Every structure is written in C-alpha cells, then in structure tokens.
Amino acid sequence: MKNNKILLISSYPPRECGIATFSRDLLVSLKKCFGHSLDIEVCALHNEDRPPYRYPKEVSYQVNSRALLSFLHLADKLNERTDLDAICIQHEFGLFGGEYGSHLLAFLLRINIPVCCVFHTVLPQPNENLAKVVKAIDHLTQRLIVLTQKSADMLAEHYGISRKKISVIAHGIHTVLWNQKDRLKEKYSLQNHLVLSTFGLLSENKNIDTVLKALPGAIAEHKNLVYLVLGKTHPEVLKNEGERYRQKLENTVAELGLEPHVIFVNEYLDLNILLAYLSLTDIYLFSSSDANQAVSGTFAYAMSCGCAIVSTPNPHTIEYVDEGKGILLDSACNPEAFEQAIKTLAKKPEAIKEMGKNAMSTMRAASWENVAIAYAEVFQKYLINTSRLQFQLPTLKTRHIEDMTTPTGMLQFAQFSKPDPDSGYTLDDNARALVAMIMHYEKQKSTKSLNLAWTYLKFITYCQTENGNFLNYVDVEGKFTEQNHEVNLEDSNGRALWALGYVVSMQDHLPPAILSLAKASFDRALPHIQLFTSPRAIGFAIKGIYYYQKNKPDRHFEKITENLANELLRIYDLTNDSQWLWFEDYLTYANSVLPEAMMYAWLITRDAQYREIAEVTFDFLLSHYFMKGQIKVISNKGWFSKSNERHFHGEQPIDVAYTIFALDLFYTITKKSKFAGQLKIAFSWFLGNNYLKQIMYNPVNGACYDGLEKENVNINQGAESSVCYFMAHMIAEKYHKTQVKRTAGKSSRPVKKLAQAPPNHTRTMLIPMPPPPKGLDQFAV
C-alpha cells in the first residue's frame, strides 16, 4: 500500500525568509514523527522569471508567484495526479502575486484536491478588497489554520468566517535544554555579561534604532550589558535599497559610543548557532514596529530558549507575554520605555531566570513534534489511503540518563532538564536504572551502559543494611535520611530484588564481577521476602525470583513463589466480585505489576490457577486503561475505587511503562494479538497519542517529562519518568515493524470536486467540513 502524500506550497530554503524556514521545519517534523507513512512534496514559490535557487530533492514543483499563468499550469498538473491526498498552503499576502495575493484564488478555483491554508498574517479592519480575497480563500479551501488565538478571533470577527472552519496551531519551536546558558556564554566569550539580543532578517520595521537609543541609560547602570543584533539584511530590502538600514544602525552605534556593547552578527545563522545565541541570552528584545504582526517566529524561538522578554505589542506578544515572562511595552517607538524595562530587569537576575523558565515552560507545548501531530490531525481527514498515519519511533538516547548520574548513583529529580543534586538519590530510581542499563547493554554491548550499570548496582548494595534489607533515601552527601524511617520501604525492597534478579539472569552477557555482586546482594535479601505484605512488593519480588532462577530452576524458589503468589490469591479472593476482578478495592499506581507477577508465578511453578488469575485480572485492568484508541492510566490526583467515580488527567510515565512490561510478557506467552496491539497504543502515549496530543519525551536528550497534567505537560525530567520511558522504548522496538496506528479522528475518502468551474464563477463546496477534533482548536499554548 502506498504512503499518504501531501503537497506543501510555500517559499522554501535556500530562499531566505521566515515562511521558508517555517515550512522546512514543519516538513522535517512531520517526517520525523510520521515519516514511514507520510510522503511530503514541496512546491516552492519564488518571484523571478527563472528559478533563482537550487532546491533540495523534496521540491517537485516551482512557481513564479508573480505570474498568474504559473498557478493555473500548476493546478492542471496536480489535477492529473491520483496519488496526492491534500495540499497545504503557507499563506502570507506578499508571497502571492496580484492585489492582496489574489493570484492564489485562480489556483484554488482550478484545483480538484482538498486544500488547507495556513494564514501567517491576519489583518484587522480589512478594506473591501482584502476582505473579498480572504473570504474567497475561506470558500475555496477545506480548513484554515492560524497560529494564534487572536488571529482566529480576527478571522471570525472581522471576516465573518466560521470558527468551526478554523484550527489554531502554534508556531513551532525547537526544543533546547535549560542548563546551557553558562556554558554557552563561556563558549562565545560572553561570561559575566548581561546579554540582550534581537534576531531576524533586518529591515526597518525591526525598529532596532529605537532599542539602540535606549542603551546608553541602561549601560550607565549596568556596564556589563551586551546587545547582540543577530541576522543579515532581508534579501528583498537588500535588493531594493542595499545596506542603508544597517549602515544607519552602525552610525547610531558610533554616535552613541556603543561599540563595546553592541555586536552585529551579519549572517543568516545556522539553526544550531541561532539556538545557541538565544540560549545564552538573558533578555530578548522584540522591538517590531508592526502592531498588526499576527505571529513572529523570532519571538516564539526566543521564548522557547528561556529568555526573559521585553516586547512591543502585537497580537502574538499580547497573547503570550505577562509579568511572569517579561515586560510588555505600550508602544513600539519609545526608547525611554525600553530603557526603563531593561534597567528594571537587569536589577533582578533571579527574576530574569524565573521569567526565562516560565517562557520555556509555556512554549514547550509548541515543539515542532507537537505541531506536526496537530497538522497530521488536520491532514488525516483528507487522506485517500485508508491506512492511518503511523508514529515513527524516535531515536533512543542515553544523554539525560548520563547527565542524571554522578559517581554515587542516579539523582532523583531535575528542574526541567537540569539535574537537581539537592533531591538526592533513591533505591527505587537506581534499581530501575540498573534494569534499563542491563537491557541496553544486552542490545548494544556498550561499555558506557555497563559502566552506568556498575554505578547503579554499587548504589543498591550501598543501601543494603547488615540484616539484608534496603534503605531507600540518600542525600547528596551520601547520608541516609530520616525519610527512611517515616515510610514503608517494602515496595523499594521489592524493586531492588527485581533489579538484582534481572542482573543475575544475564549470566551469558555480563562480567563475572557484576554477576557475583548482584547474586550476593540478592541472597542476603532473600530471607526477608516472605515477610512482605504489600501487594506490589510481593509482585516485584516474584519478578526478581523469576529472573534469579531463570537459568537454574530450583524447588526452593518454587516454594517461595507459591507462598507469595498464594498471598496475592488470598487478597484477590477477599476483594473481587463479578464487577471488580482485582486484588484491592481500588486501582492505584504500578497496577500492572500484580497480574504480571501472577504470570511470572505460573512460569516458575506451572500452577494453572496463577495464569488464570493473571489473565482475568489483567483483562480487567486493561478494560479500564484502554479507551477510544488511547491508554489512560490511573490519575495521580485520586485513586480509582470501585465505590467511587474515576478521576482522569494526571497520568505518569511509570504506569504506562509498567503496563508495557506486562503487555510484552502476556503477548510473549499467549501470542494474543490484542496484547501486541495494546502495547503499541500504550507506547504511542509517549509519542503524542494522549489526551493533550503532546509528546512526552525530550527529543534532544532522550529524557521523558514527569507527567501529563490536565492542561499541560510537566516538563521536569526526573529519573523515574526518564528511565521508565527508556525501558519502554526498548520493548517497543521489538514491535516496530507494525508501527502504532494513529487513532484520533476517522479517515474518510474525500469526495472529489466535480467539473472544474470557470475562473470567474464561484463554486459550491462539495467536501463537507467536519468540526475539528476535540481540543485541537485550543492547541496553542
């Protein structure tokens, strides 16, 4: 079966403009998320008689946007194709010839393929001709996309367009790590400086001359201030007037004596260099004089890189900037206001840092991966191919796990991606990390993974007391905390046994020294297993026993397993009824461990009742987890009691990962395809198939975000979530040949438009426009 295919009509690199960069980033993110099931071609717009660029291979068509006939010829060529599902037009009025870009209308009248149009600019209070063009685009397309809620409001209120026709999808941003500022300042010789910056293709409406006039007063109080003006002159400006505006700015710098404090970087910056400059910036100055600018990629990128913001007002900045992220000025051409804002923030370095964190946190929902998911939701409605768009597995990375690991062990928490030493260490996290690194070593035979495993194993043995039990909480100085005496540590002890047993099971893969240390520690803990009363501690212990004796079964371990499994049966008999086939009166955390343990008990003992209860209880659990093509694990906002209504929202990666462990085991034993299918759906939770339609992994460092809250993702990246995602990813790789199918919305074959209407006639829409998927219109942060 052929892949689904989309055509993107836009300016495109190497053309240097914001829309071109946007379109390339959108294409790359769509390919990254859905590449194996979605082909994307590009029709590149230029405004020359001859194509002025050598385009990359994805560009199949080129159009001179000033020539009306070129649009008609393009439509005729596309109408001949039978493999093209939909067209996505990136719209800016200046990109298309004719009054207000009216050449586009000829193409839309001619084309017989579903079209969505992305408005990068929406102008308020339109005159009659502008309103006619926009309304015609509305009439001739199947979906309109805007990048801010204010733009959607303007289309509805100023142009009379139905809100049901409009999707709001934020401008995409590139994910960066929080803990890079000091390192990057040193790299660029800007350490000990307060760094301000502005970036973008230089033109008069950037209003940088106003900022320059504000600097002398700010520098008088903060002599370490440096202002970076990033970006070359806009190609159209350069063609029409040369470097006049840049020379004007350079003259202003000289007149005001600002040479030591202002640095012009006259380049079209590579993405990585641009993100580095923004990440080392303390305060980003958005100085545009265009009060109607609907959206700014430069502004979005600056916020996503953790900059505090000082901004002039326009629809985009008004929507995003509040006192928690920076200062929104009243007007554009007021040097005194810029000066005062810079001086106010410069006095409060901790406030700058907090504003940067708030800005980064707000913008993370608009990562290019999340934007790709939102666009895919739109495209899905018009795909001729009946197969669904399928997620592609991201690259597995150990970077964050390495960052979280000290010579002592794995730290517990992180502030965003920055490890938090004050959080200390736990046995829980290091036990899971040990399993993860042994799994990884088995697959990759990586010395790095083995060294990390050694670190975690040594931490586990450090936590083991003289009597064989384990303590859980260790501070950054290596001291056991009082918390060890305030909470029940049975579950932590069970997790340690699971990890130690897993190590011992790998006798054909691991060095003797690591096997010997793990075995000795397990043997010391073994006498305490039968004292466990916590169901989950029992579950983890059974898992540990299974792995420990896997290569050398022993009746002694069968007997211990029978005692533990019988205890789970006893509590099951006390609580289950015809409607509640479970071990407790409630579903809490790590629920999958219990039926999984019963299946492991069957593997050890071959007692049929253990397998029967394993399958009955697991089916019951899954009936509460899987609904409408998604997994919805139990909320950490309130456990699900059989006598109360269930809470939703507040989902954690650990519960999804443990479910994946269990599904893998049940599929391996039973070969029932439902378990394989549910495993793929479960892992797709990390990839964006969740109620927020947002990724749960960090594409830069391989970390995982800490939680899926009601309205946002908790973007802290602690040990528990990151290690659980890492393990789940390795299991999901086994199923990658049958990738996860997209589940949101139903695919339907589009109704072809009938005979092509004459250019001057209006045409009736023949493809009914369904309402957007729930929540999509609120996708923007």
Side-chain angles (χ1 to χ4, degrees), residues 596-612:
E596 183 187 20
M598 295 303 289
M599 189 62 87
Y600 277 121
W602 173 76
L603 287 172
I604 296 169
T605 67
R606 296 296 165 169
D607 188 327
Q609 66 175 330
Y610 299 153
R611 176 168 176 169
E612 178 186 355

Side-chain angles (χ1 to χ4, degrees), residues 217-265:
I219 291 169
E221 295 186 13
H222 305 280
K223 301 192 183 304
N224 66 335
L225 185 153
V226 171
Y227 178 43
L228 307 178
V229 182
L230 308 170
K232 66 186 294 186
T233 301
H234 196 290
E236 293 300 315
V237 174
L238 196 61
K239 183 167 62 175
N240 294 327
E241 59 184 61
E243 292 284 15
R244 183 191 62 79
Y245 183 60
R246 182 179 297 276
Q247 290 165 1
K248 173 185 173 183
L249 296 178
E250 291 173 348
N251 292 338
T252 301
V253 168
E255 291 168 5
L256 297 175
L258 297 174
E259 288 96 335
H261 300 276
V262 178
I263 301 172
F264 289 92
V265 182

Side-chain angles (χ1 to χ4, degrees), residues 246-313:
R246 182 179 297 276
Q247 290 165 1
K248 173 185 173 183
L249 296 178
E250 291 173 348
N251 292 338
T252 301
V253 168
E255 291 168 5
L256 297 175
L258 297 174
E259 288 96 335
H261 300 276
V262 178
I263 301 172
F264 289 92
V265 182
N266 186 8
E267 299 177 39
Y268 192 81
L269 294 171
D270 173 81
L271 175 63
N272 290 331
I273 296 174
L274 171 61
L275 295 178
Y277 273 123
L278 291 176
S279 294
L280 63 80
T281 295
D282 296 295
I283 304 171
Y284 184 79
L285 305 178
F286 184 78
S287 52
S288 172
S289 60
D290 184 358
N292 293 323
Q293 186 172 359
V295 67
S296 166
T298 64
F299 167 73
Y301 280 21
M303 285 190 67
S304 72
C305 287
C307 304
I309 304 293
V310 174
S311 176
T312 55

Side-chain angles (χ1 to χ4, degrees), residues 101-117:
S102 58
H103 284 5
L104 176 61
L105 300 183
F107 172 81
L108 294 175
L109 282 164
R110 197 98 154 193
I111 195 69
N112 291 330
I113 301 168
V115 176
C116 70
C117 183

Side-chain angles (χ1 to χ4, degrees), residues 290-353:
D290 184 358
N292 293 323
Q293 186 172 359
V295 67
S296 166
T298 64
F299 167 73
Y301 280 21
M303 285 190 67
S304 72
C305 287
C307 304
I309 304 293
V310 174
S311 176
T312 55
N314 67 34
H316 196 186
T317 61
I318 291 170
E319 189 166 317
Y320 280 80
V321 179
D322 56 32
E323 61 183 13
K325 303 180 191 74
I327 296 174
L328 185 66
L329 304 179
D330 292 332
S331 64
C333 300
N334 189 341
E336 292 77 17
F338 268 106
E339 177 185 337
Q340 187 57 47
I342 294 167
K343 288 158 67 172
T344 297
L345 293 183
K347 294 174 184 177
K348 303 174 181 179
E350 287 304 312
I352 290 176
K353 183 177 179 181

